Amino acid sequence: MKRLTQLFALLLMLTSCGRGAKDNEQPHAEIADMMIINAKVAVMDEQRSMAEAIAIKDGLVAATGSIEAVSKWKGDSTTVIDAGGKTIIPGLNDSHLHLTRGGRFFNAELRWDGVKSLKKALQMLKEQAERTPEGQWVRVIGGWSPFQFEEKRFPTPEEINEATGNVPAYVLFLYSRAWLNQAGLNVLGIDENTSAPEGSSFEKGPDGKLTGVLLAEPNPTILYARIGSLPPLSEDEMVNSTKHFYRELNRFGVTSGIDAGGGGHKFPKDYSGTKTLAEAGKMPLRLSYYLFPQNKGAEYAEFQEWMATNEIGQNGEIHLEHGYELEGGGEFLAWSAGDFENFLAPQPLLDERPTWRADLKKVIQLHVDKGWPFRIHATYGETIAKMLDVIEEVNRETNGKLAQQRWLFDHAETIKMEDLDRIKALNGGIAVQARMAYAGEFFVERYGAEKAKQAPPVKKMMEAGLPVGAGTDGTRVASYNPWPALYWLITGKTVGDLRLSDDTNLLSREDALHLYTKGSAWISKEEDVKGTLEVGKYADLSLLSKDYFSIPAEQIKDLKSVLTVVGGEIVYGDEEFEDMSPKLPEVIPAWSPVKFYGGYQTN
Ligand SMILES: [Zn+2]
């Protein structure tokens, strides 16, 4: 009742504002397209100010403040949404997510993301096998941890075979190992005589027979190659799949993502799903992408060709016509310099590959010459220290030109403290992701709990004054859901609830959110146009299912959005806002696991 009288009083005041209120309360010259009132708006400006309402015009934030103040923007054409006291945050921006590849495969993949028991996961596998047509596969491609399961263990080859029978199946765990069932081994013609790429193996049982388990030790090529040999979706199915994947991201409040390319993902051919959406003006999120070379040893030529035929840095129109912008090169610049983050296997050392330094240097020089930003995948401190020697050298040889360009390291789980200052001196940044939330238990097993306390040292990166962005590295080495990642930044815990970080490496909720919004915007040179809800910024926001700032920390990983807005347009609605959600076409193909389970399992 009380809420109703308040609402009535509120509406009364709104209508009075619209039509000639008293002099000092003159309505605003301009009329807002949308206003959200009765909210807890986290503006995320320097002062971390909170507001009751927000007005949006032409895709930009027009005003935030008290309901009364913001109501001055109301006109007859203004859409007014009552948030019912819920919390609004700036749209989340995952600055390292394999979006275009994720979209390409989403409808073909059974997601174990968020599944709470192995029993349930195997049941889903069984059901999916029963509906999978001839010629197709059941596939689970990363994004889960055995420690998220109450059983706290991996599936066995027997369990996989029992669940899938004669339907070929492939189950990937991060870039560490995978399970092929017998039917899959047969289809791919793999047997005891098949040789594995160097640094990997096909596991054999005591009887000398293949178990179906593929082991990256640490070379994940054995895993990549199988993914690449699975039957692709059709062009139409890929577009539909991309739509549903981006909707899934909107479901968690993601309004921007920065694509880090990825193995087995050729530009421009494999980006067609997203390109089709962008050209049709149907992108429900903003996407900047970095280019990842596919040809080992020929990366330089690949970049030369891309630089000759593509332009970067046009973070153009605020409307979503082209929320799809080329940003630069990476996350791989040279395969020989790639240090895979497989904590179930020994750390790869750069010097085991004689050409890494020359390969990396010439590609970095090319980026500096062409003015292209670049990002570099680097997990271990030893790798980063050596790479910094090369980067400092190129900077010297280009008279400091490199340091005037945007560049960053990705991951940096075991970066050395002294190297933070070296990056700072070169105006570089770091993008961190929640990979430890999915592999932390194995990291501790191999490197010990002490080393895990500052892996990565996110707080120290911020204290060093470095630009830091946050994300997941989804969809394979972590789930794409941002909330387990924010949970990890704030609590230092894995999705299996193992505490990794010590107190000095835990972020406040405000700081974690800052990294996942404005911090990430730095990685696509958009820190001046988005990442907060200050006046003039992109009106990208999410209305949350619960109050991020006051709920028990445990509940943070289960948060989701109930209303997601990009450029002032509603791209997703749920619960009381479900009717506002733009309709999507039905999931295709008809056997798609997404049609039956969706993506991340929230319950
Ligand atoms: Zn990476």
Side-chain angles (χ1 to χ4, degrees):
M1 188 57 201
K2 182 162 167 295
R3 175 150 157 60
L4 206 56
T5 34
Q6 274 173 336
L7 197 54
F8 184 69
L10 184 61
L11 285 173
L12 191 64
M13 182 200 36
L14 280 173
T15 43
S16 69
C17 284
R19 276 173 294 175
K22 290 193 252 21
D23 285 354
N24 61 358
E25 289 173 3
Q26 285 309 313
H28 201 275
E30 292 186 273
I31 302 295
D33 303 319
M34 180 194 289
M35 274 166 49
I36 306 178
I37 57 168
N38 200 19
K40 186 178 171 183
V41 183
V43 176
M44 292 301 288
D45 52 3
E46 300 279 323
Q47 300 73 37
R48 299 285 186 256
S49 48
M50 303 297 277
E52 292 177 340
I54 183 169
I56 296 168
K57 181 163 180 52
D58 298 332
L60 301 176
V61 177
T64 57
S66 69
I67 295 173
E68 193 180 355
V70 169
S71 308
K72 296 188 180 81
W73 284 80
K74 183 178 178 321
D76 294 344
S77 60
T78 306
T79 304
V80 179
I81 296 172
D82 183 339
K86 286 192 165 78
T87 298
I88 289 178
I89 59 168
L92 295 175
N93 182 350
D94 189 327
S95 49
H96 188 122
L97 174 60
H98 298 273
L99 296 104
T100 53
R101 187 179 63 183
R104 188 175 144 214
F105 291 115
F106 187 60
N107 283 5
E109 295 177 0
L110 175 65
R111 303 297 308 181
W112 278 358
D113 307 42
V115 176
K116 295 193 171 52
S117 76
L118 180 56
K119 184 164 174 271
K120 170 90 188 289
L122 290 167
Q123 179 57 33
M124 291 166 75
L125 202 64
K126 183 172 187 310
E127 291 166 4
Q128 187 55 31
E130 283 155 8
R131 68 171 71 90
T132 298
E134 184 76 30
Q136 264 299 344
W137 286 59
V138 184
R139 60 189 92 176
V140 178
I141 308 294
W144 59 279
S145 156
F147 298 99
Q148 76 192 46
F149 300 141
E150 58 197 39
E151 298 92 338
K152 303 282 182 203
R153 67 173 178 84
F154 282 132
T156 65
E158 292 72 25
E159 286 169 329
I160 301 265
N161 277 290
E162 194 189 320
T164 54
N166 298 326
V167 178
Y170 185 74
V171 175
L172 177 78
F173 168 62
L174 313 185
Y175 279 137
S176 297
R177 62 180 55 195
W179 293 256
L180 272 172
N181 67 353
Q182 191 53 52
L185 289 168
N186 298 345
V187 169
L188 296 178
I190 296 171
D191 61 23
E192 286 68 23
N193 305 315
T194 307
S195 61
E198 196 211 327
S200 65
S201 67
F202 293 106
E203 185 187 62
K204 289 186 174 147
D207 58 1
K209 291 222 166 318
L210 294 184
T211 63
V213 178
L214 284 57
L215 299 168
E217 299 159 324
N219 182 358
T221 306
I222 190 171
L223 308 175
Y224 266 123
R226 260 79 249 171
I227 301 171
S229 60
L230 302 179
L233 294 173
S234 72
E235 201 53 46
D236 289 350
E237 289 165 351
M238 268 198 287
V239 173
N240 179 281
S241 174
T242 303
K243 277 183 186 158
H244 282 277
F245 180 53
Y246 294 166
R247 165 58 59 92
E248 173 76 352
L249 295 172
N250 288 155
R251 178 163 82 102
F252 294 107
V254 175
T255 59
S256 287
I258 307 177
D259 195 294
H265 192 57
K266 286 190 177 51
F267 178 82
K269 182 174 79 60
D270 295 330
Y271 289 57
S272 59
T274 299
K275 191 156 187 288
T276 304
L277 287 189
E279 285 172 348
K282 292 208 168 69
M283 282 290 281
L285 45 76
R286 302 177 195 278
L287 193 154
S288 300
Y289 57 100
Y290 283 78
L291 296 181
F292 188 117
Q294 303 296 309
N295 308 319
K296 291 181 189 146
E299 300 92 342
Y300 187 82
E302 220 170 331
F303 276 116
Q304 276 187 311
E305 193 200 323
W306 284 333
M307 290 170 178
T309 53
N310 297 281
E311 271 196 61
I312 55 156
Q314 301 168 25
N315 294 316
E317 299 144 34
I318 56 173
H319 291 298
L320 285 183
E321 274 76 15
H322 296 290
Y324 177 53
E325 311 292 346
L326 172 58
E327 206 52 48
E331 61 173 302
F332 265 29
L333 296 179
W335 279 76
S336 59
D339 66 348
F340 297 105
E341 67 286 343
N342 175 9
F343 304 133
L344 285 87
Q347 173 184 341
L349 300 172
L350 285 185
D351 291 337
E352 287 162 357
R353 300 171 219 150
T355 67
W356 81 265
R357 203 173 197 288
D359 296 343
L360 183 66
K361 184 174 179 186
K362 68 180 184 185
V363 171
I364 291 177
Q365 275 168 333
L366 179 64
H367 279 73
V368 175
D369 292 350
K370 300 290 182 186
W372 272 44
F374 63 88
R375 61 189 311 170
I376 312 177
H377 162 114
T379 305
Y380 302 100
E382 292 74 10
T383 306
I384 291 170
K386 286 180 183 298
M387 286 180 170
L388 278 167
D389 296 341
V390 174
I391 295 169
E392 285 165 349
E393 200 174 291
V394 174
N395 188 51
R396 274 195 305 277
E397 291 169 7
T398 58
N399 303 316
K401 193 176 170 210
L402 182 148
Q404 286 150 33
Q405 269 169 228
R406 192 78 29 127
W407 76 276
L408 64 135
F409 278 118
D410 280 299
H411 316 314
E413 271 84 4
T414 66
I415 189 170
K416 299 176 184 153
M417 299 311 165
E418 64 267 26
D419 289 329
L420 298 177
D421 296 333
R422 293 173 73 189
I423 297 170
K424 177 77 179 157
L426 293 160
N427 300 325
I430 301 178
V432 299
Q433 300 78 31
R435 302 165 354 136
M436 288 290 280
Y438 294 82
E441 289 83 355
F442 297 110
F443 183 97
V444 169
E445 210 175 294
R446 177 167 296 278
Y447 300 108
E450 193 55 36
K451 196 160 183 175
K453 288 179 175 168
Q454 294 279 339
V458 185
K459 197 80 177 275
K460 292 217 168 34
M461 292 171 182
M462 296 172 77
E463 286 160 1
L466 285 170
V468 181
T472 58
D473 199 0
T475 60
R476 297 177 180 176
V477 298
S479 175
Y480 48 78
N481 184 341
W483 295 103
L486 283 151
Y487 173 74
W488 164 72
L489 285 169
I490 294 159
T491 66
K493 288 182 177 175
T494 68
V495 294
D497 273 330
L498 174 70
R499 173 74 187 266
L500 300 170
S501 305
D502 62 20
D503 290 351
T504 67
N505 198 28
L506 300 182
L507 301 193
S508 69
R509 297 182 192 205
E510 285 77 8
D511 281 350
L513 182 59
H514 168 75
L515 295 193
Y516 226 107
T517 51
K518 189 168 183 184
S520 285
W522 183 90
I523 289 160
S524 60
K525 286 190 181 177
E526 292 180 294
E527 65 272 22
D528 299 330
V529 294
K530 66 182 182 184
T532 74
L533 295 174
E534 291 163 294
V535 172
K537 293 289 173 65
Y538 290 171
D540 300 354
L541 57 87
S542 168
L543 184 64
L544 298 178
S545 53
K546 290 184 181 166
D547 179 23
Y548 167 70
F549 298 99
S550 62
I551 55 176
E554 288 309 308
Q555 294 178 22
I556 289 173
K557 58 178 180 255
D558 302 321
L559 278 171
K560 52 192 174 106
S561 180
V562 292
L563 186 76
T564 306
V565 174
V566 178
E569 289 169 21
I570 295 172
V571 293
Y572 174 75
D574 191 17
E575 296 179 5
E576 67 263 46
F577 305 101
E578 193 177 357
D579 295 349
M580 298 178 180
S581 213
K583 292 284 163 282
L584 276 191
E586 205 173 340
V587 172
I588 55 170
W591 54 267
S592 166
V594 172
K595 193 177 171 127
F596 299 89
Y597 308 107
Y600 191 98
Q601 302 299 303
T602 40
N603 42 32

